Amino acid sequence: MEPIAIIGIGCRFPGADNLESFWDLLRSGGDAITEVPSDRWDIDAFYDPNPGIPGKMSTRWGGFLNQVDQFDPGFFGILPRRAKLIDPQHRLVLEVAWEALEDAGVVPAKLAGSKTGVFIAISHNDYDKIICKDISRVNAHHGPSTYHCIAANRLSHVLDLRGPSMAVDTACSSSLVAVHLACQSLRTGESHLALVGGVSLILSPEETIAASHARVMAPDGRCKTFDASTNGYVRGEGCGVVILKRLADAVKDKDNILAVIKGSAVNQNGLGNGLTAFNGPAQQAVISEALENAEVAPAEISYVEVHGIGTPLGDPIEANALKTVLMRDRSLDQPCWIGSVKTNIGYLESASAMASLIKVVLSLKHQEIPAHLHLKNLNPRISLVGTPISIPTECQPWPVDTTPRRAGISAFGFGGTNSHLILEEAPVFSTAVSDSKRPLHLLTLSAKSEKALRELATRYEIYLQSHTEAALEDVCFTANAGRSHFLYRLAVVTQSTTQLRKQLSAFVTGRETVGLASSQGQTPKSRKIAFLFSDQSSEYVNIGQQLYRTQLVFRRTLDRCDEILRPYLEKPLLEVLYPVSGKTSPINKNTYNQPALFALEYALAKLWQSWGIKPSSVMGYGVGEYVAACVAGVFSLEDGLKLITARTGLMQIPLAQIAVIESAVNGCNAIATLPTTANKTQYTFEQIVQAVTYSTPSIDLVSSLTGKLVTDEIATPDYWLSHLQQSERFASGLETFSKHSSEIYSEIEEFSQYYSSDDVELQLPGLCQEKSDWQQILESLRELYLLGASVDWSNFDRDYQCRRLQLPTYPFQRQRCWIELTDSTTELSR
């Protein structure tokens, strides 16, 4: 089978609100079982220690989540009154799926219209029972609010996903079967990405009463899997979602691969001892088939997360089936551990296998096997003597003789549908070390409210405090490129994680601090960006050198300009801009100043555009108008540089090139002599102007010559001949800019000495001598981001070897969304 990568995880389990706290619970041997909370039902009214009493349950225990009545409807565009009707399991899937996508560094908006599949394991309908207690509350919204399929379908709808979308119900094996189906969908190309989840909530007492009557509830509320005292299980609830992608695609996309699914299998007990009875031969068969599909030998499995329901008869059947398969060709020096997460959080039913899967992924990542709880004496029907199979009673290292580590996961539905999955630790890739480093970095955070933004900043502050190993460039890359960007925005220019932590702390507490700015969620409107190109720049030696050393787009553009200008300049452009130490640069001479200015402005414009900052209009003054025209597509870079070099009046054009120019203009084959010194400049400039290939501007271009928007007239030789001789109307041009709603002016070079306009919302200066290149560039980018610019963050970091981290996820602003006794049908249907 083609291997499938797990690239993101979200979860809410008893005692653990997120992935990190879930691992802390497992690693510490935590027991998350509690008495039934009072907001579920009055346990004293329903409890009776004697099983089989009508209307009573024989347990007081369970693994519960906090605040299952809470939801953030506004985040998902749902009206609060409608959210009350939606099954909390569906709402939980929305939130946890979003967290899983963030964990994967996948921006949900970029999935719109894609072949992304959704597979959700779900079995219970407790909330439907609560609603139907008052039949008058049932209305037209009832079906879309509670049907199992909608748990998957609503997620596909909200994110505009076009792949398969389905609910999966095979009882306790549902989550693993959903993973199996998703992997098949990915392998066939039906899906390019898959969101797979399992969810189960205990909201009403009926199912627990039924299980008590079946005498499978442990009176002490603990799953004592494999123990001699095992006497049933305890119910639990939760939700887990994993993001899957074909391994080859995940490697190509440089995803953060958490583990690899090598293979899986699903089968059925068929006609056995009973519909709900475990079947040893069927279990052996599904495990063997999964190993075969994964092309993994039994002896290569060093851990198995068992189904481990915790019943006197079920445990021995599973243990013996495992032993039969795992001992094939296994020597006694090849250990294998077996354990169950149900001993920590209870039996999560349709979400149970998802909890098992996530536990194993975390164990592989940390190379540790958590303790299997509540094992004092092995069930006498289970014998592990003479085998290397052990049950860990303490958290321990996960050693293997040969890499990679591999594990099996079992899940058996009480209706007879069995599943097994083979998981492998993530591949290790050598990370190339980049020589180019940014001296400063930009972190962006955003949310849908000011309160959520502050909470998010707090989460990042805490994360940086507890993850001192995290590289600043990786934190910024993941946050910038792997998150959605909402109206309330925070942007921080920073140079270290220590400084960043202090800056975030200042924001949270409302203190002023250097390098940080935020926006207050202004009403969105169509802001247009204009590029302004100057004529007399503050040229200085080594201008832009930081960018040249660290930005490939900037460097390649300047290199290309240098190459084009070689025949026309005595000194190469790059030697003029970045002279060797101790050498004097002639940068202040017109011969070099104007071509250098053109090249720098053009390279900066290309850099901004590569980051997604694209102008809706451009304008220039003097030399800057040539750059503006070039950016607008009026003529090529080659022609632009020839024009600007000829414009200096000192360009020495080789005889062969003069001949080519005259031939293009006059149809002549050659020229016998050069023009005289007196008329050489005018002659050569005119000839070049005539030989240039012109096009109509591809974006709005305001002429500094006329002060108006220009189209065809700028694409003629006459315009540029006039440009050399006539005075410019820069102020009029700025007025035209304002009329075309260009509210953000990004200066490619400092322009403030030439203009001031009250109509401009923001002026962003270009490079300046008072600040380093990166300081100025990042401050300008920060302001653009805060005003709603859509930055291409992936391109922003494409020159660097950044990796995705598992950073804090969105802080949902949750509120109570629950059917109340006072809710009327009229109110809910509005």
Side-chain angles (χ1 to χ4, degrees):
M1 283 185 168
E2 183 178 9
I4 302 297
I6 300 174
I7 63 170
I9 300 176
C11 68
R12 307 264 183 90
F13 294 132
D17 288 335
N18 54 51
L19 198 60
E20 200 162 84
S21 59
F22 185 44
W23 176 246
D24 289 342
L25 176 78
L26 296 172
R27 193 174 188 276
S28 64
D31 183 341
I33 304 303
T34 64
E35 280 205 350
V36 177
S38 59
D39 62 353
R40 303 305 174 92
W41 58 79
D42 181 357
I43 186 58
D44 291 329
F46 283 97
Y47 174 70
D48 191 300
N50 302 303
I53 304 299
K56 300 292 183 178
M57 60 185 66
S58 59
T59 179
R60 304 179 63 89
W61 307 94
F64 296 97
L65 302 183
N66 296 321
Q67 299 181 328
V68 294
D69 62 325
Q70 302 287 305
F71 179 59
D72 188 345
F75 185 88
F76 295 101
I78 300 172
L79 294 173
R81 66 174 182 271
R82 294 281 167 79
K84 287 183 178 183
L85 286 169
I86 298 173
D87 189 327
Q89 294 178 124
H90 301 191
R91 306 191 311 226
L92 197 55
V93 165
L94 288 176
E95 291 186 353
V96 177
W98 187 277
E99 292 167 350
L101 287 170
E102 288 198 327
D103 187 65
V106 175
V107 178
K110 292 184 178 180
L111 296 179
S114 69
K115 294 173 68 174
T116 297
V118 178
F119 304 80
I120 302 298
I122 181 171
S123 295
H124 297 301
N125 57 355
D126 289 10
Y127 199 63
D128 186 62
K129 295 171 186 173
I130 294 173
I131 292 174
C132 290
K133 283 180 180 178
D134 181 356
I135 203 70
S136 67
R137 292 189 296 203
V138 176
N139 58 40
H141 301 289
H142 184 74
S145 298
T146 60
Y147 288 9
H148 288 341
C149 63
I150 302 299
N153 301 161
R154 190 186 300 277
L155 181 56
S156 298
H157 171 76
V158 167
L159 300 182
D160 190 19
L161 310 179
R162 307 299 174 86
S165 182
M166 64 186 72
V168 178
D169 184 3
T170 59
C172 331
S173 59
S174 299
S175 291
L176 222 55
V177 173
V179 172
H180 175 78
L181 294 174
C183 290
Q184 288 183 330
S185 183
L186 287 166
R187 291 184 180 112
T188 62
E190 179 183 59
S191 298
H192 293 160
L193 189 79
L195 285 72
V196 191
V199 65
S200 182
L201 289 179
I202 306 169
L203 305 177
S204 60
E206 291 86 354
E207 296 293 335
T208 306
I209 292 172
S212 295
H213 282 235
R215 289 172 168 75
V216 293
M217 290 281 93
D220 61 354
R222 298 299 183 275
C223 287
K224 300 177 287 295
T225 308
F226 299 143
D227 192 76
S229 65
T230 187
N231 55 358
Y233 62 85
V234 60
R235 297 184 73 200
E237 63 183 15
C239 180
V241 175
V242 295
I243 310 299
L244 306 184
K245 183 187 279 191
R246 288 183 291 271
L247 177 61
D249 292 340
V251 172
K252 181 189 64 172
D253 297 339
K254 297 182 180 179
D255 289 311
N256 183 21
I257 300 170
L258 305 175
V260 176
I261 298 170
K262 294 288 288 182
S264 58
V266 173
N267 74 1
Q268 233 285 337
N269 290 343
L271 180 62
N273 293 331
L275 174 65
T276 62
F278 281 144
N279 186 305
Q283 292 179 16
Q284 291 179 38
V286 78
I287 296 169
S288 297
E289 187 178 351
L291 287 165
E292 183 180 348
N293 291 338
E295 298 181 347
V296 170
E300 295 178 70
I301 300 296
S302 51
Y303 177 76
V304 176
E305 177 68 16
V306 299
H307 181 69
I309 190 171
T311 58
L313 295 178
D315 288 357
I317 291 173
E318 181 174 10
N320 291 328
L322 265 179
K323 187 168 65 173
T324 300
V325 177
L326 293 177
M327 287 307 295
R328 294 172 189 160
D329 301 320
R330 181 186 290 270
S331 63
L332 294 178
D333 62 352
Q334 292 177 297
C336 182
W337 302 87
I338 59 176
S340 175
V341 72
K342 294 177 179 66
T343 63
N344 302 94
I345 60 176
Y347 187 25
L348 272 56
E349 294 155 347
S350 53
S352 61
M354 188 55 66
S356 297
L357 174 61
I358 293 173
K359 172 191 172 180
V360 178
V361 172
L362 291 171
S363 297
L364 287 168
K365 175 185 175 182
H366 294 281
Q367 300 180 4
E368 290 183 326
I369 298 175
H372 174 94
L373 307 185
H374 316 311
L375 181 66
K376 297 178 181 177
N377 300 295
L378 191 64
N379 187 320
R381 294 188 178 90
I382 300 172
S383 175
L384 300 179
V385 177
T387 76
I389 300 173
S390 305
I391 303 171
T393 54
E394 293 181 352
C395 186
Q396 61 183 45
W398 186 344
V400 287
D401 294 333
T402 58
T403 55
R405 292 169 179 80
R406 292 191 175 107
I409 303 168
S410 290
F412 310 132
F414 85 129
T417 299
N418 309 304
S419 186
H420 192 82
L421 182 144
I422 306 299
L423 204 63
E424 181 178 282
E425 67 182 327
V428 178
F429 300 102
S430 58
T431 304
V433 179
S434 175
D435 292 332
S436 61
K437 294 282 186 182
R438 278 199 195 101
L440 292 169
H441 297 273
L442 179 64
L443 174 76
T444 64
L445 302 178
S446 72
K448 291 194 174 185
S449 70
E450 185 176 354
K451 184 173 182 288
L453 184 59
R454 292 193 183 278
E455 286 185 21
L456 186 60
T458 300
R459 289 186 178 188
Y460 271 75
E461 181 191 355
I462 294 170
Y463 173 88
L464 292 171
Q465 193 166 3
S466 59
H467 294 78
T468 54
E469 79 288 351
L472 178 59
E473 57 267 29
D474 294 336
V475 172
C476 293
F477 167 70
T478 305
N480 297 345
R483 296 293 188 268
S484 299
H485 295 279
F486 303 114
L487 286 180
Y488 287 80
R489 297 185 171 192
L490 171 68
V492 193
V493 176
T494 190
Q495 61 182 0
S496 69
T497 52
T498 301
Q499 183 188 24
L500 177 57
R501 194 172 69 245
K502 292 177 180 176
Q503 289 167 314
L504 291 174
S505 175
F507 173 73
V508 171
T509 56
R511 292 180 284 115
E512 293 290 329
T513 187
V514 175
L516 181 148
S518 63
S519 65
Q520 300 300 315
Q522 301 99 324
T523 303
K525 56 181 179 178
S526 179
R527 290 186 174 88
K528 295 182 180 180
I529 295 173
F531 280 2
L532 302 183
F533 300 90
S534 71
D535 179 45
Q536 301 295 325
S537 76
S538 52
E539 290 291 3
Y540 52 91
V541 172
N542 294 328
I543 181 172
Q545 190 171 38
Q546 273 190 336
L547 296 179
Y548 184 80
R549 288 175 176 170
T550 60
Q551 285 296 295
L552 190 59
V553 168
F554 187 81
R555 182 166 64 251
R556 283 179 174 171
T557 306
L558 276 189
D559 286 349
R560 177 65 183 139
C561 292
D562 176 74
E563 181 185 352
I564 294 168
L565 288 168
R566 287 283 175 128
Y568 312 131
L569 299 181
E570 221 174 279
K571 274 183 174 286
L573 172 69
L574 293 175
E575 288 184 22
V576 173
L577 287 171
Y578 312 126
V580 178
S581 179
K583 296 281 187 179
T584 303
S585 169
I587 196 169
N588 291 320
K589 294 182 179 179
N590 257 5
T591 316
Y592 297 104
N593 182 278
Q594 292 191 26
L597 175 60
F598 183 107
L600 280 168
E601 291 188 336
Y602 185 78
L604 277 170
K606 298 301 285 184
L607 181 62
W608 280 114
Q609 288 173 308
S610 75
W611 294 344
I613 306 301
K614 297 179 179 179
S616 60
S617 55
V618 292
M619 179 180 173
Y621 179 74
V623 172
E625 184 154 2
Y626 289 80
V627 187
C630 195
V631 170
V634 173
F635 41 69
S636 68
L637 175 61
E638 290 81 357
D639 283 342
L641 285 170
K642 287 177 185 177
L643 284 170
I644 209 65
T645 311
R647 185 179 184 271
T648 65
L650 296 172
M651 174 174 152
Q652 302 297 318
I653 301 181
L655 179 63
Q657 292 206 25
I658 292 286
V660 169
I661 292 167
E662 284 221 339
S663 176
V665 177
N666 302 322
C668 301
N669 293 321
I671 184 170
T673 58
L674 286 171
T676 64
T677 304
N679 68 5
K680 178 172 63 178
T681 300
Q682 181 64 28
Y683 174 81
T684 55
F685 182 78
E686 182 176 351
Q687 296 302 307
I688 290 176
V689 167
Q690 295 292 342
V692 164
T693 301
Y694 298 98
S695 301
T696 302
S698 57
I699 56 176
D700 288 349
L701 195 159
V702 176
S703 167
S704 64
L705 192 62
T706 65
K708 298 177 181 179
L709 201 67
V710 290
T711 53
D712 295 339
E713 62 268 31
I714 200 170
T716 63
D718 289 344
Y719 179 88
W720 297 101
L721 289 170
S722 299
H723 190 277
L724 186 67
Q725 300 163 357
Q726 297 179 15
S727 60
E728 298 179 88
R729 303 180 63 190
F730 182 68
S732 299
L734 282 180
E735 290 178 12
T736 303
F737 253 178
S738 299
K739 289 177 183 176
H740 283 79
S741 302
S742 295
E743 297 155 346
I744 305 172
Y745 288 5
S746 181
E747 303 168 16
I748 301 301
E749 277 297 317
E750 276 199 290
F751 232 124
S752 55
Q753 57 183 315
Y754 298 108
Y755 76 91
S756 177
S757 174
D758 295 333
D759 297 323
V760 178
E761 183 171 349
L762 181 66
Q763 295 173 200
L764 300 176
L767 301 180
C768 58
Q769 197 161 6
E770 291 74 25
K771 293 181 180 179
S772 70
D773 297 347
W774 274 115
Q775 182 77 39
Q776 186 60 72
I777 285 284
L778 292 184
E779 285 180 1
S780 294
L781 185 60
R782 177 187 66 196
E783 298 307 314
L784 283 167
Y785 172 76
L786 293 177
L787 281 173
S790 181
V791 182
D792 187 337
W793 294 110
S794 295
N795 264 357
F796 178 70
D797 274 313
R798 71 177 178 180
D799 296 345
Y800 304 95
Q801 297 296 328
C802 298
R803 64 188 189 94
R804 291 183 175 91
L805 301 178
Q806 291 180 283
L807 294 180
T809 54
Y810 190 87
F812 294 111
Q813 301 303 291
R814 308 174 83 211
Q815 64 187 64
R816 181 171 169 83
C817 297
W818 204 259
I819 288 289
E820 310 289 355
L821 293 176
T822 56
D823 289 335
S824 68
T825 306
T826 303
E827 180 182 316
L828 290 171
S829 61
R830 279 189 297 120

